[in-house]
Amino acid sequence: MSDLFIFGLGYTAKRIAEEMRTRGWQVNATGSAGNVDFADRDAVTAALNRANHVLSSVPPDRKAGLDPVLDSYGRDFGEAWYGYLSSTGVYGDQQGAWVDESTPPIAETGAGRRNARAEADALWMKLGARVFRLPGIYGPGRSALERVRDGRARRIDMPNQVFSRVHVDDIVSGVVAALTSDAPAGAYNLADDLPASGNAVTEHACQLLGIDPPPLETLEEANLSEMARGFYAENRRVANGKAKRVLGWQPEYPTFVEGLNSLL
């Protein structure tokens, strides 16, 4: 039986675990929804010894600049297949240009924010992992529909700002494709086919719900958190051609339109 060990059973990884169990895989995991305590070295080591596939969704510690999984257990993976859920934030600001897996990440250029994530991404790459670089994730219970309903949606007046995003189910299908095939090690961008402004997504969500869109605000008027302001400081389009070619992956929700419609 194929055995998968997941570090960090969060929003996305939980769905990956569910899918692999339906395929007959044994799945163990750390995290609040998991069955293994991350701090229990004996239990984690035993699970790693049984696993032939290891996946981490644990983000780096921004203050310490360390990846908790690699820092604690990086030498215990053995010969297993292993993967890492990373972020397209490793590409930094590209002023709206397209990026693909050949674009140098900020760990190499030394520019941009999220340096801890970029360094962790680079370490997993060196270890020969399948590194899944993910843009903004949305899905059930976590989308523009909820933000509009709750009155948290904003429209920022930045006409040329675009982002890539991906439905959580499409992340699952991409990771599962890599888990169940002879996918070579390396980076894979799992993003939809249509980079778009946050305003366009909010406006479509409002249309679906029959609610007037929120007013346009400048970045200063919006009074966003430091993290949110950092998000708007980056502008890029993420290409997904490699995942399609190598993994045979096709997003079920190629744009935010299909994705939000399905969530309604």
Side-chain angles (χ1 to χ4, degrees):
M1 177 183 292
S2 293
D3 192 304
L4 170 64
F5 186 75
I6 300 177
F7 284 103
L9 206 61
Y11 181 75
T12 301
K14 187 184 298 184
R15 287 162 172 78
I16 295 170
E18 291 169 355
E19 175 61 25
M20 298 316 294
R21 287 185 178 119
T22 67
R23 293 168 178 257
W25 286 43
Q26 176 70 36
V27 181
N28 296 286
T30 68
S32 59
N35 62 329
V36 180
D37 184 351
F38 183 87
D40 187 338
R41 176 166 289 278
D42 289 341
V44 172
T45 300
L48 287 172
N49 287 338
R50 292 191 301 270
N52 44 37
H53 295 75
V54 177
L55 177 70
S56 175
S57 71
V58 178
D61 183 323
R62 293 193 179 194
K63 292 183 178 179
L66 298 172
D67 182 299
V69 172
L70 294 181
D71 189 49
S72 299
Y73 298 106
R75 298 181 181 178
D76 298 328
F77 293 166
E79 296 302 317
W81 178 107
Y82 44 106
Y84 176 59
L85 301 187
S86 185
S87 164
T88 55
V90 302
Y91 296 117
D93 179 33
Q94 299 290 333
Q95 299 179 15
W98 286 94
V99 298
D100 63 18
E101 292 83 355
S102 67
T103 303
I106 58 177
E108 295 179 18
T109 64
R113 69 187 182 99
R114 285 190 241 180
N115 285 303
R117 172 68 83 179
E119 293 294 340
D121 180 289
L123 287 173
W124 283 95
M125 288 285 287
K126 288 179 182 177
L127 288 171
R130 289 82 182 160
V131 175
F132 305 98
R133 292 174 177 165
L134 311 176
I137 302 170
Y138 72 99
R142 186 181 294 188
S143 75
L145 294 172
E146 284 74 30
R147 292 193 296 275
V148 169
R149 287 191 184 107
D150 298 343
R152 295 181 288 111
R154 316 294 287 270
R155 287 197 304 154
I156 308 300
D157 190 12
M158 299 179 69
N160 298 316
Q161 192 81 11
V162 294
F163 308 102
S164 289
R165 53 193 54 78
V166 64
H167 192 290
V168 66
D169 288 350
D170 288 328
I171 300 173
V172 173
S173 66
V175 174
V176 168
L179 278 165
T180 57
S181 69
D182 235 351
Y188 297 91
N189 293 336
L190 297 181
D192 72 13
D193 294 337
L194 182 66
S197 70
N199 293 347
V201 178
T202 296
E203 289 159 7
H204 185 65
C206 289
Q207 182 182 7
L208 290 176
L209 296 171
I211 296 175
D212 290 336
L216 279 175
E217 304 173 277
T218 67
L219 196 59
E220 290 69 29
E221 290 170 339
N223 194 27
L224 299 173
S225 67
E226 182 179 352
M227 182 177 294
R229 289 180 69 88
F231 180 76
Y232 278 96
E234 294 182 358
N235 185 5
R236 61 181 167 266
R237 292 170 166 86
V238 179
N240 59 20
K242 179 182 176 182
K244 290 179 176 179
R245 292 190 308 273
V246 179
L247 303 180
W249 175 75
Q250 287 291 334
E252 183 178 357
Y253 306 102
T255 80
F256 67 86
V257 174
E258 293 89 352
L260 290 182
N261 290 356
S262 74
L263 295 173
L264 186 63

